[in-house]
Amino acid sequence: MNYGKWMILGIVSTSIVLTGCGKEKSSSEHESHSHHEIETTADIREETKSNEILPTFLNDKDENMKVVYRSVGKHKELLEKIPCYCGCGDTVGHTSSYDCFIYENKVGGAVVWDDHATRCGICLDIAAQSVIEYSQGKSIKQIRNDIDEKYKKGYGKPTPTPKI
């Protein structure tokens, strides 16, 4: 396993500490818990020339978070098929886990990044788990099943990601 994969693996265990939102809660605790400040804080969006260049809103963030963002930029085809369970489908119109990190892919390779996931451990954990399992050879369908099973109770409504 290369260094990057080890860094991503560390995300699964540390992103909970980074945001405080990713702890699994009972259904009643999670329903009353504001997953992140979506309702009161507008997402920051920043364009870079490619998915290899991270946005400046990550400059003051933990290196592990940067690794997840970098990984998301390289796994569009995977993460557009994985739902997010933080409630962002209803609150900000996301359709997949990918939307929590990247708002738009432009012609020519430019990327408009979204800081939504910087405030949510659920977003970070789902993306990290998905990329790790994909790098271990799991199919996108298997990964989707794993995510759906893990987050089916006690989390927000999943994004309206089409079935695989």
Side-chain angles (χ1 to χ4, degrees):
M1 189 181 285
N2 68 30
Y3 178 72
K5 290 180 185 170
W6 279 109
M7 287 287 292
I8 294 169
L9 190 57
I11 298 304
V12 173
S13 60
T14 62
S15 65
I16 292 170
V17 173
L18 293 175
T19 64
C21 177
K23 287 192 274 186
E24 190 167 330
K25 300 176 183 296
S26 71
S27 293
S28 61
E29 286 177 304
H30 222 65
E31 287 168 5
S32 65
H33 174 69
S34 175
H35 297 284
H36 30 71
E37 299 163 11
I38 296 303
E39 294 80 7
T40 59
T41 304
D43 289 346
I44 296 169
R45 296 193 176 122
E46 181 180 335
E47 183 173 331
T48 63
K49 291 183 180 186
S50 76
N51 65 2
E52 297 290 324
I53 302 167
L54 292 176
T56 60
F57 63 70
L58 291 175
N59 287 352
D60 66 343
K61 304 299 182 198
D62 183 276
E63 187 60 33
N64 292 326
M65 186 179 292
K66 293 175 188 176
V67 169
V68 175
Y69 265 82
R70 194 172 291 117
S71 297
V72 168
K74 296 176 183 178
H75 290 91
K76 178 180 189 276
E77 69 288 340
L78 164 65
L79 294 168
E80 284 186 326
K81 294 178 176 77
I82 304 297
C84 183
Y85 281 81
C86 78
C88 61
D90 286 338
T91 60
V92 290
H94 289 174
T95 60
S96 70
S97 174
Y98 188 75
D99 292 348
C100 300
F101 301 84
I102 296 181
Y103 178 73
E104 181 181 4
N105 292 280
K106 295 193 166 196
V107 175
V111 172
V112 179
W113 299 90
D114 194 311
D115 82 327
H116 174 91
T118 65
R119 298 180 308 279
C120 184
I122 295 169
C123 300
L124 293 167
D125 286 345
I126 288 172
Q129 179 182 340
S130 298
V131 170
I132 291 167
E133 289 184 7
Y134 191 70
S135 72
Q136 294 171 337
K138 282 193 175 184
S139 72
I140 294 174
K141 186 172 179 85
Q142 288 174 306
I143 296 165
R144 171 74 180 261
N145 289 340
D146 290 348
I147 296 296
D148 286 341
E149 184 62 29
K150 180 176 179 178
Y151 293 93
K152 70 182 180 184
K153 292 183 181 176
Y155 294 91
K157 181 180 169 187
T159 53
T161 311
K163 298 274 184 202
I164 298 175

